[in-house]
Amino acid sequence: MRNRGAVRTAVAAAACGVLLMTLSACGGSGGGDGTGHKDEAGSGGSRHEGRPAVDLKRIPDVGDRLQSQIPKSARQVVAVYGDGKDSGDSTVVLYSKSGDTWDKTRSWPAHNGKKGWTADHHEGDKRSPIGVFTLTDAGGVLADPGAKLPYTQAASFQAPHYWAESHWHDFDYVIAIDYNRVKGTAPNDPTRPEGQTKGGSIWLHMDHGSGTSACVSLSKSGMEYLLRTIDPKRHPVVVMGDKVSLES
C-alpha cells in the first residue's frame, strides 16, 4: 500500500457489503461471442486510407471537441477506439507525450459496453460513457504488480461466483475511470456524486472475451503494463468512445 493505504483498505472493506451495487455497472454476468479482436498494429494511428498523415501533436482520430477536453498537463492518454456506436469491440492505445509530440506506446484489442457507447450513460444501459476522464486510482483482487497509481488490494473486488466462470477474474486488476466517483478513493468505493441513476464503477479491467456492462476490458498483460506505466505525475486521462463520436 502507498499513502492513504490504511484509509483505502478500510474503505474497500466497507464497500464489500455493497459489492453487488458497486459492480453492477462493471462487468456483469452477460455473455457474448468474444469475436472482433484486432491486430495491435492496426490500432491507434490514422487508420483510414486516404487520410492525411497523423498530426503527432494531437491524439490521432480524436476531433477538436474531445481533444480540447484533454488537460494541457496530461502527458499520458489511454485512448479507447470503439468499433461502432452499438459495438462491444474496441482497441485501447496508450499514448505518451515527449516534448510536444504524442507517441503511440502500445495497443491492445479490448471490449467496452456490450451495447456500445453513449454520451448520456445511465445505470444498466450496458453502454460505456463517451468522454475524457482522469485516471487516479487502481486496485484489485491480486497484489500490487508495481502500480504507480495508488493501489488497493482487497477481496471485496472479487466478482461473485454465481456469475459465469469466465468473469471470475475480471477484477483481478482494475483502474478506476473517474466517471461519477470520488477521486482518491479505492475503485470500489460506492460513492456516486451525481447519484445512482448516472451509473458508476466504470473501470479498465481484465477481459473475459466479450462486451461488458459499461467498463473497458483488456488482457491481463495489458492491465499489468498499464498499471506499471500510468503515472499520476504525468496526469493521465482516458479518452473513450466509438470512432465516429471520437472524431466529431
Side-chain angles (χ1 to χ4, degrees):
M1 296 289 179
R2 290 173 170 74
N3 293 341
R4 300 174 284 159
V7 174
R8 293 165 67 86
T9 301
V11 169
C16 185
V18 290
L19 175 64
L20 299 184
M21 177 187 72
T22 304
L23 299 183
S24 62
C26 193
S29 57
D33 61 12
T35 59
H37 277 183
K38 299 168 287 304
D39 189 279
E40 290 187 7
S43 61
S46 183
R47 296 165 294 155
H48 304 280
E49 293 182 6
R51 290 275 184 93
V54 173
D55 180 0
L56 293 179
K57 293 185 183 298
R58 299 166 58 92
I59 301 300
D61 297 324
V62 176
D64 291 344
R65 180 178 62 87
L66 290 176
Q67 198 89 41
S68 66
Q69 296 177 32
I70 298 173
K72 294 185 182 302
S73 61
R75 316 242 356 134
Q76 288 178 324
V77 169
V78 177
V80 185
Y81 297 98
D83 280 7
K85 186 74 173 180
D86 301 319
S87 172
D89 298 318
S90 54
T91 300
V92 167
V93 183
L94 175 63
Y95 294 98
S96 300
K97 196 170 190 179
S98 176
D100 294 328
T101 302
W102 287 104
D103 299 313
K104 178 180 174 181
T105 305
R106 195 165 293 190
S107 68
W108 302 268
H111 288 98
N112 51 267
K114 61 187 69 176
K115 290 189 177 180
W117 297 89
T118 179
D120 186 23
H121 174 67
H122 283 78
E123 182 76 20
D125 65 12
K126 309 298 183 185
R127 293 179 179 269
S128 297
I130 299 167
V132 177
F133 309 99
T134 53
L135 300 170
T136 57
D137 302 281
V141 176
L142 299 181
D144 185 348
K148 289 182 168 66
L149 293 171
Y151 188 94
T152 300
Q153 180 189 11
S156 56
F157 283 98
Q158 179 64 58
H161 275 204
Y162 59 79
W163 287 6
E165 187 174 351
S166 59
H167 294 64
W168 288 358
H169 295 284
D170 281 10
F171 313 130
D172 281 358
Y173 293 128
V174 308
I175 298 172
I177 294 171
D178 292 336
Y179 170 88
N180 196 18
R181 69 177 301 269
V182 178
K183 299 178 187 180
T185 63
N188 59 353
D189 184 313
T191 306
R192 297 181 178 178
E194 297 179 47
Q196 295 298 319
T197 61
K198 289 293 291 180
S201 299
I202 309 297
W203 299 342
L204 295 165
H205 67 68
M206 285 171 47
D207 193 59
H208 54 250
S210 61
T212 71
S213 287
C215 296
V216 174
S217 61
L218 62 155
S219 65
K220 181 178 181 180
S221 62
M223 283 300 300
E224 289 174 334
Y225 184 88
L226 289 177
L227 284 164
R228 293 167 180 158
T229 305
I230 293 176
D231 187 346
K233 294 179 181 177
R234 305 196 73 190
H235 308 287
V237 299
V238 59
V239 55
M240 52 194 279
D242 61 281
K243 296 173 187 176
V244 172
S245 295
L246 288 176
E247 292 176 341
S248 65

